[in-house]
Amino acid sequence: MKKILIISGSIIVGLLVIISICASFYLYSYALSRDNSSMNDTPTADQTTETAKLAKKNRQENTAWMEQQRLTKWTETSADGLKLVANYLEAPSPSKTTIILAHGYRGKSGKVEMAGLARMYNQKFGYNVLMPDARAHGESEGKNIGFGWPERKDYVQWTNQVIDKNGDDTEIVLHGVSMGSSTVLMTSAEKLPKQVKSIIADCGYTSMDAELSYQLKAMFHLPKFPIIPTASLINKVKEG
């Protein structure tokens, strides 16, 4: 009887380990893959409120405005060999200020998600605006989303390209929203050119652990342990 209990216990523990590893691989792929958009599609309780309706109307108006603008496509090759794409919107009148926008997690395109901010900076304040598609988003290459860590190096390259094209006397502002906010915060720790005058970080996440733990509980009703630590190990091995 004791042997049966030990064998049964070992089988259960083994199954739990296998299930945990499989769930961790799934979470890793689910969170980082560029093709999975469902983590942004969770319905919220206030989608029918007047505030939500107004926000939707504003997005539609800003997107329509963006479609009428004359954009110039810029490209950059990342340090790990990815072709990155950005759309540049020139100021209505010559300006030495350029805003570089950083969009959020699974943003369809920098120029779509950030249309409202681009319109404000360009139309109201008369600034140039650069709207990169982060790696694994939009027109930029990449299979996996970096949540801001590899992207920080990409944004240093974008700042240097702005200087190369607009001159040494240009002034640059980095403005990120959500994941883009964390991206520009990580970028701030890099050696940036003196032309970067300010950084605006709007509602970034505090840590990957907190972000994925919240999503795991909200979407799958699962605890963070042992899935998050195992997924973190998988990410370390596969992505460095």
Side-chain angles (χ1 to χ4, degrees):
M1 184 67 179
K2 189 175 181 182
K3 275 188 175 181
I4 293 173
L5 289 174
I6 292 172
I7 293 170
S8 299
S10 299
I11 291 172
I12 291 171
V13 170
L15 285 172
L16 289 174
V17 170
I18 292 171
I19 291 170
S20 173
I21 293 172
C22 290
S24 300
F25 268 102
Y26 178 78
L27 178 65
Y28 165 81
S29 176
Y30 188 84
L32 272 68
S33 171
R34 74 176 294 151
D35 297 322
N36 182 2
S37 60
S38 54
M39 282 184 77
N40 258 1
D41 295 338
T42 307
T44 57
D46 62 349
Q47 282 183 342
T48 58
T49 64
E50 290 303 314
T51 302
K53 290 178 182 178
L54 180 61
K56 182 178 180 181
K57 181 183 177 184
N58 287 338
R59 282 196 300 271
Q60 291 173 339
E61 290 178 352
N62 291 329
T63 302
W65 175 85
M66 181 64 73
E67 289 173 351
Q68 297 173 1
Q69 305 311 304
R70 187 175 179 179
L71 303 174
T72 304
K73 187 171 289 186
W74 289 15
T75 60
E76 190 74 65
T77 301
S78 69
D80 52 347
L82 298 177
K83 181 184 176 182
L84 306 176
V85 177
N87 285 280
Y88 181 74
L89 179 60
E90 192 171 351
S93 300
S95 173
K96 286 297 182 182
T97 301
T98 298
I99 313 296
I100 305 179
L101 299 176
H103 63 75
Y105 178 70
R106 300 202 189 283
K108 292 181 181 178
S109 163
K111 65 180 179 181
V112 173
E113 184 181 336
M114 307 300 274
L117 284 174
R119 184 180 184 183
M120 178 189 75
Y121 281 125
N122 185 260
Q123 193 174 51
K124 186 173 182 179
F125 297 110
Y127 297 152
N128 307 305
V129 182
L130 183 66
M131 297 163 282
D133 284 340
R135 54 175 60 209
H137 291 77
E139 297 181 77
S140 290
E141 292 181 345
K143 293 182 178 179
N144 290 327
I145 299 167
F147 283 83
W149 183 244
E151 290 86 350
R152 79 196 194 282
K153 297 286 190 180
D154 303 337
Y155 272 78
V156 173
Q157 290 183 236
W158 287 124
T159 62
N160 289 329
Q161 187 170 165
V162 169
I163 296 167
D164 289 341
K165 291 185 174 180
N166 291 358
D168 289 338
D169 58 344
T170 192
E171 295 186 338
I172 298 171
V173 176
L174 305 180
H175 186 155
V177 176
S178 193
M179 187 189 77
S181 171
S182 297
T183 299
V184 297
L185 285 174
M186 294 182 203
T187 305
S188 73
E190 298 300 308
K191 186 176 181 180
L192 290 169
K194 64 181 182 180
Q195 286 84 354
V196 178
K197 300 300 182 181
S198 62
I199 294 175
I200 301 170
D202 182 357
C203 62
Y205 66 84
T206 52
S207 71
M208 279 293 295
D209 181 275
E211 181 73 13
L212 292 184
S213 297
Y214 171 82
Q215 293 285 359
L216 195 63
K217 184 177 180 181
M219 300 188 69
F220 302 108
H221 310 290
L222 292 173
K224 63 180 286 186
F225 185 84
I227 297 173
I228 296 294
T230 309
S232 180
L233 180 61
I234 293 167
N235 182 60
K236 182 68 175 177
V237 172
K238 291 176 73 69
E239 296 295 326

